[in-house]
Amino acid sequence: MATFTRVNGTTQPVFALDVANGSIAGTANVAAQGPVMLSGPKLDFFLLTANAALTNAGNVNGYLNNVFQAVQSGAGITGGGAGGTIAFYQAGATAGTINIAIYPSGAYTTATLVAAAQTANATGGLNIGIPTANVSNAATFTSLVA
């Protein structure tokens, strides 16, 4: 295999991910910033199972939107938690399931997540709820790739 001797460059990321902080010495990059993962940060995965099918729950002010907004705002968390960002979600193939991936890792436990999601119960004209026992860390996303 052909190789060549590098004469310049560092391990600094090629992409400006978070801040435009100018040039950083190559030795400072490893010590101060740590590794860069382009696919994103560590996520926590949860499965929520609603009391009913979510077929008609996807409208603008509908149940799904209200659940997502509640989770991201930290609604219902005792002590006014900050919530988390939903990196991606999928309304499951099984009726009534919602799979979500949340950043930052550790922002929610199953108990605090269901408390936030329950603030959306009976919203958007639908009387759907997510019981406390229906939240787990067993999210299963369906791939769209054949």
Side-chain angles (χ1 to χ4, degrees):
M1 173 190 254
T3 62
F4 66 93
T5 303
R6 292 174 52 117
V7 295
N8 60 16
T10 67
T11 59
Q12 185 171 338
V14 175
F15 297 91
L17 299 175
D18 293 323
V19 293
N21 54 2
S23 180
I24 299 171
T27 55
N29 183 53
V30 174
Q33 296 179 350
V36 175
M37 187 169 118
L38 293 179
S39 63
K42 180 180 178 189
L43 303 171
D44 286 341
F45 298 89
F46 292 96
L47 168 66
L48 296 91
T49 304
N51 286 330
L54 300 170
T55 311
N56 297 318
N59 55 326
V60 173
N61 292 311
Y63 182 73
L64 277 175
N65 180 65
N66 291 339
V67 167
F68 298 150
Q69 293 302 318
V71 168
Q72 294 189 127
S73 71
I77 298 177
T78 304
T85 300
I86 296 177
F88 53 91
Y89 73 90
Q90 183 177 48
T94 304
T97 61
I98 308 167
N99 295 291
I100 58 176
I102 299 178
Y103 169 81
S105 179
Y108 280 103
T109 64
T110 55
T112 56
L113 180 64
V114 76
Q118 285 175 344
T119 64
N121 287 352
T123 60
L126 299 173
N127 190 17
I128 299 175
I130 298 175
T132 301
N134 288 9
V135 176
S136 74
N137 296 89
T140 304
F141 290 88
T142 304
S143 172
L144 298 178
V145 179

